[in-house]
Amino acid sequence: MDEHLRDAAWQGCIDALHSLMQMDVTEKERIKRMDERLTHAAKQGSIGALYALIQEDANVLDRIDKISFVETPLHIAAFEGHIWFTTEIVKLKPSFARKLNQDGFSPMHLALQKLHELENNPDLQRNQAQLVDRLLDVDSDIVCVPGREGVTPFHYVAQMGHLDLLTKFSEGCPKAYEDVTIRSENVLHVALKYDKVEAFRLLLRWIQQACFKDALSWEMKLLRWKDEEHNTLLHIAVSKNQHKASPFHSIFLELV
């Protein structure tokens, strides 16, 4: 219990209680205005406005960090394509990079969604790709953050069929290959199910060339993995008439 509220209760002072209640309402209004200004700063990509808010209230970012599911300034800036603001805020609060908003998406998920939306605008798409690279530089493991329905940024990139990012994500976080959605789909399943044959080939080639301890057993585990409907990669490829999706036909034969 707040010290002032406890004193008012002990003294039985109703006026003091009402005064404290009014102060509480005023504080909530102040915080609401601060949050609105922070949202505006993120949408505008204004680093100056961000620090002006921090100078007014040093806990402005900490309050957001305490909420389990919330749209952080990083979510907003990542979607809006503000590279410098994104870089600044993620350095101040690295934990924001792993936060999910109320829709179940991390900042990287939103950055990738915007990248996909900009496919017909090369200049803006190039800028957005740089933003994705910045997030990846800060923490390569964020490609493994499971969002809505267990879909990670790595799964989403496979769904998009973005070959360049698939390569970067593979190199930055190989363990992302083991992540599965709530339907028990690994990244290879996702690529095939969304008819991204070239993406599937790239992923399979990367697995084939992986060089680390137990790489072979890891490879076979991924290739033989079954989704919730007990479909292996071969089952999916055959059902979609994609049995030629891989140049490694012998591998598919081993999965029968």
Side-chain angles (χ1 to χ4, degrees), residues 197-246:
V197 177
E198 291 305 315
F200 178 80
R201 285 177 173 169
L202 184 153
L203 293 167
L204 192 56
R205 190 179 306 118
W206 196 92
I207 293 172
Q208 284 276 306
Q209 296 172 353
C211 297
F212 52 83
K213 184 180 179 181
D214 299 325
L216 182 59
S217 60
W218 178 74
E219 171 191 334
M220 296 314 299
K221 175 185 176 182
L222 293 173
L223 295 175
R224 289 174 172 159
W225 188 265
K226 296 180 180 180
D227 63 17
E228 67 172 0
E229 297 178 348
H230 305 289
N231 291 318
T232 64
L233 297 172
L234 179 59
H235 294 142
I236 298 171
V238 170
S239 69
K240 287 180 167 287
N241 196 29
Q242 292 177 343
H243 54 283
K244 294 183 179 180
S246 168

Side-chain angles (χ1 to χ4, degrees), residues 21-228:
M21 291 173 64
Q22 183 59 42
M23 288 174 60
D24 185 53
V25 171
T26 302
E27 177 64 10
K28 287 181 179 179
E29 291 177 349
R30 184 189 70 82
I31 291 174
K32 180 181 178 181
R33 288 195 297 270
M34 290 285 288
D35 289 344
E36 290 172 349
R37 290 167 60 194
L38 184 57
T39 295
H40 182 72
K43 286 183 176 180
Q44 298 299 316
S46 175
I47 295 176
L50 169 64
Y51 278 99
L53 287 165
I54 293 174
Q55 289 170 3
E56 288 183 37
D57 184 349
N59 296 317
V60 63
L61 298 181
D62 290 334
R63 278 197 301 273
I64 296 172
D65 205 14
K66 292 177 181 178
I67 304 173
S68 297
F69 295 92
V70 62
E71 185 173 63
T72 70
L74 182 57
H75 284 85
I76 298 169
F79 186 76
E80 294 293 338
H82 297 308
I83 295 177
W84 303 121
F85 189 97
T86 293
T87 304
E88 191 72 21
I89 197 75
V90 80
K91 286 183 177 180
L92 292 174
K93 276 291 180 182
S95 56
F96 281 1
R98 293 175 174 271
K99 283 277 188 184
L100 300 183
N101 64 13
Q102 295 92 331
D103 292 319
F105 299 123
S106 71
M108 180 63 94
H109 284 96
L110 296 186
L112 293 171
Q113 288 174 21
K114 190 58 174 282
L115 181 69
H116 186 57
E117 290 179 11
L118 295 172
E119 60 183 351
N120 295 322
N121 192 322
D123 290 337
L124 290 179
Q125 190 179 53
R126 194 177 304 113
N127 178 82
Q128 191 68 13
Q130 291 176 8
L131 187 149
V132 170
D133 287 343
R134 290 297 180 90
L135 287 174
L136 195 61
D137 288 341
V138 172
D139 182 1
S140 60
D141 284 353
I142 61 176
V143 305
C144 299
V145 174
R148 190 171 185 161
E149 298 188 6
V151 175
T152 67
F154 194 38
H155 292 137
Y156 187 70
V157 169
Q159 180 180 326
M160 291 166 55
H162 199 299
L163 304 185
D164 183 47
L165 285 179
L166 279 175
T167 300
K168 290 179 180 179
F169 285 14
S170 295
E171 294 172 348
C173 189
K175 65 182 180 181
Y177 278 84
E178 299 181 21
D179 295 327
V180 295
T181 68
I182 61 172
R183 295 175 179 80
S184 198
E185 303 159 331
N186 65 27
V187 68
L188 293 163
H189 287 83
V190 172
L192 276 186
K193 286 186 175 182
Y194 282 89
D195 299 316
K196 303 301 181 181
V197 177
E198 291 305 315
F200 178 80
R201 285 177 173 169
L202 184 153
L203 293 167
L204 192 56
R205 190 179 306 118
W206 196 92
I207 293 172
Q208 284 276 306
Q209 296 172 353
C211 297
F212 52 83
K213 184 180 179 181
D214 299 325
L216 182 59
S217 60
W218 178 74
E219 171 191 334
M220 296 314 299
K221 175 185 176 182
L222 293 173
L223 295 175
R224 289 174 172 159
W225 188 265
K226 296 180 180 180
D227 63 17
E228 67 172 0

